[in-house]
Amino acid sequence: QVQFVESGGGLVQPGGSLRLSCSASESITFYAMGWYRQAPGKQREWVATITSARTPNYIDSVQGRFTITRDNAKNTLYLQMNSLKPEDTALYYCNFIPLRSSWGPGTQVTVSS
């Protein structure tokens, strides 16, 4: 099955920005892809989707702040996160939509002053 490796997380102050990347071991060209996150003590939740036609969709809480994109030539998914808030603190993962592969290690995003 396809393996994912997420990167780009870090510690950022409220209002700051980060760009997450997700590298896939195989082609993602024909699949809808998504970003998910899991905050401490909470269940993993869906954050954003991008279809194979590059149509995006977002959870309400990140609408207007996050942008999901993809580079099929590089088998890579991105999440540009602006105007970050403390409630965005979580471990971020990527996967297919719907889910059909194991989770990668994730990348930690911490928003704190």
Side-chain angles (χ1 to χ4, degrees), residues 26-47:
E26 298 177 20
S27 175
I28 61 171
T29 300
F30 302 109
Y31 303 100
M33 300 295 301
W35 283 99
Y36 304 78
R37 66 186 180 187
Q38 186 167 17
K42 295 186 177 181
Q43 290 189 335
R44 186 156 24 206
E45 67 175 355
W46 165 78
V47 175

Side-chain angles (χ1 to χ4, degrees), residues 9-20:
L11 173 63
V12 62
Q13 292 186 344
S17 297
L18 286 172
R19 188 193 193 204
L20 306 185

Side-chain angles (χ1 to χ4, degrees), residues 15-102:
S17 297
L18 286 172
R19 188 193 193 204
L20 306 185
S21 298
C22 166
S23 178
S25 59
E26 298 177 20
S27 175
I28 61 171
T29 300
F30 302 109
Y31 303 100
M33 300 295 301
W35 283 99
Y36 304 78
R37 66 186 180 187
Q38 186 167 17
K42 295 186 177 181
Q43 290 189 335
R44 186 156 24 206
E45 67 175 355
W46 165 78
V47 175
T49 298
I50 185 166
T51 68
S52 58
R54 302 180 188 272
T55 301
N57 194 21
Y58 304 94
I59 193 173
D60 287 348
S61 60
V62 309
Q63 182 75 45
R65 300 189 296 120
F66 290 12
T67 303
I68 185 171
T69 57
R70 63 194 296 161
D71 185 336
N72 291 332
K74 297 182 179 179
N75 297 337
T76 301
L77 184 71
Y78 301 100
L79 187 67
Q80 178 66 43
M81 305 187 298
N82 299 329
S83 302
L84 282 161
K85 302 177 181 180
E87 52 263 43
D88 295 318
T89 294
L91 195 57
Y92 283 71
Y93 304 87
C94 65
N95 211 314
F96 293 104
I97 300 282
L99 296 173
R100 65 175 184 87
S101 281
S102 299

